[in-house]
Amino acid sequence: MSDISPETVVQAMVNNDAFSKWLGIQVLAIKEGYSKITMKVRPEMMNGLGVVHGGVAFSFADSAFAFACNNRNQLSLALDTSIQFLKPVHVGDQLVAEAGELHNGKSTGLYLVKIYNQHNHLIALFKGTCFRTTKPVVV
C-alpha cells in the first residue's frame, strides 16, 4: 500500500500500544506478512490455578497477528480468531510467538501464530483472519 517498511509500521504500532507494552513484548523480527515477538511471564499474569491467564496468552498471540497482518501499512482488523492451549505456562517462562501468513487476499488475510516457551515446546496455536481496509496504518 505504501513505501513505508514493515519494520516502520510495526514500530509505530508498538509505540501506540499500551497493552503490548504492559505485556512486555519485544519485537524480534518483522517482514511482510510475518512477525516474531517475545515476552516474559510475570506473577500478575497468573490465574487462580497457578498458570498464565488464557487472556494473556491470547493477547500475546493477537499482538503477533496484528503486527504480521498490518505491516504492509494497510490497516487490518481481526475478523475471526481462535486459540488452542496445548501446555501450561508458568511464572518466569520466556515466550516467543511467530506469526506467519497463510493467505494474503485483497480484503482478507489468514495467519497462524505459534507460541513456544523457552524449552521450544509448542504451548499454543492461534489462527486469525483479518479484514483489510483501504486506510494506512502510518500516514
Side-chain angles (χ1 to χ4, degrees), residues 27-69:
V27 176
L28 299 175
I30 297 294
K31 59 185 174 185
E32 278 193 5
Y34 173 88
S35 75
K36 186 175 182 180
I37 61 176
T38 189
M39 66 170 268
K40 187 167 187 171
V41 177
R42 304 185 311 267
E44 65 267 29
M45 296 174 174
M46 295 296 101
N47 67 20
L49 302 174
V51 295
V52 78
H53 190 287
V56 171
F58 182 94
S59 295
F60 180 56
D62 189 48
S63 288
F65 167 56
F67 298 153
C69 69

Side-chain angles (χ1 to χ4, degrees), residues 12-13 16 18 25 29 32-33 38 42 44 52 63 65-66 77 98 103 128 132-133:
M13 291 174 68
N16 293 309
I25 289 174
E32 278 193 5
T38 189
R42 304 185 311 267
E44 65 267 29
V52 78
S63 288
F65 167 56
L77 304 166
E98 199 165 11
H103 170 73
R132 303 206 191 280
T133 72

